[in-house]
Amino acid sequence: CAFLHRQRACTTKMDMHTQINKAQALRKMHDRSAILLLPNAWDAGSARLFAHRGFAAIATTSAGVAWSLGYADGEQAPLAEVLAAIARITRVVGLPVTADIETGYGEAPTDVAATVRAVIAAGAVGINLEDGRPGHGPLRPVEEAAARIRAAREAADAAGVPIVINARVDNWMQHDAAAPAERLADAVQRAQAYLAAGADCIYPIGLDDRATLAALVQAIDAPINVAAGPGMPDLAELARLGVARVSTATRFATLAMAAVDHAAAAMLESGRFDSLASTLTYADAQQLFVQP
């Protein structure tokens, strides 16, 4: 029994050491020396595909994870199920994984802290944290949103894992009558408060205007994350604008669903099975999970 106890303690210490190394590696990827391209996985299979393709790190998509679990986005998926999905992803890839925890699962900063502790326990070394209410609800007051980031940072510090906190400023997700200049000014104020509270990166999700993005980058001395998608500038132009990180949000998850939907519709309509042809075979998928 004493031997098994020592062995478990040694394994835990090695796992923590590995996780800290991953956190430090992810942190270094945000030094703005090169743009970081992050694919958003929704399950272990998509994560393994992205790792196989050679990405340096992997993010999760809250919507994709929720859909794969049978729930709508917006913190509708039970946190326990989301944590289990994150743990499966971190188990099958050796890369740093940053998890989208939406608004933090709870109204109080202490709730956010508990979620962060659980996400770290699941193997993640980074988080996305929104400043709106669940389901793209109205923005929280800046002081309240900053307190939630502070709680996340303090929880990570206490756990000994220097996670990367990507703070979303959801100004461009709001469908209100705010003027563009007013929206930008509020976003800058929020970003500065979030950085002071312990955030590492700012994510103006929904912002795709080049001039506004350039102004935001100039106003904030920190890495900026944008969401990839049709119509967005390419990586080279985003790098010239000063963007440090690009993630794919729900794009890969919806792309996969669209491919299956198209094939299923074609099969039903034609009665033929040509739409089931794939460049990725059973053997290819199986090989992704074969342990060396």
Side-chain angles (χ1 to χ4, degrees), residues 3 8 18 34 53 71 74-75 105-106 119 133 141 147 185 216 222 234 239-240 251:
F3 171 77
R8 280 195 295 268
T18 298
R53 279 293 171 189
Y71 299 92
E75 294 185 19
Y105 275 82
V119 166
R133 298 188 182 275
L216 186 68
D234 62 18
R240 285 193 294 271
R251 297 292 183 176

Side-chain angles (χ1 to χ4, degrees), residues 187-248:
V188 170
Q189 180 192 5
R190 287 175 172 275
Q192 291 170 341
Y194 302 164
L195 292 167
D200 302 288
C201 187
I202 299 299
Y203 184 9
I205 188 169
L207 174 57
D208 56 8
D209 177 72
R210 289 165 172 77
T212 306
L213 181 56
L216 186 68
V217 170
Q218 288 297 314
I220 300 169
D221 185 18
I224 301 295
N225 184 125
V226 299
M232 280 295 287
D234 62 18
L235 279 175
E237 184 175 351
L238 287 172
R240 285 193 294 271
L241 288 172
V243 170
R245 166 170 150 166
V246 180
S247 51
T248 59

Side-chain angles (χ1 to χ4, degrees), residues 75-126:
E75 294 185 19
Q76 298 301 301
L79 180 58
E81 293 192 39
V82 172
L83 292 169
I86 293 168
R88 286 191 291 272
I89 289 172
T90 61
R91 177 178 60 82
V92 301
V93 298
L95 304 174
V97 174
T98 177
D100 186 344
I101 61 170
E102 303 193 60
T103 72
Y105 275 82
E107 279 301 304
T110 51
D111 297 324
V112 178
T115 300
V116 169
R117 287 192 294 270
V119 166
I120 291 173
V125 295

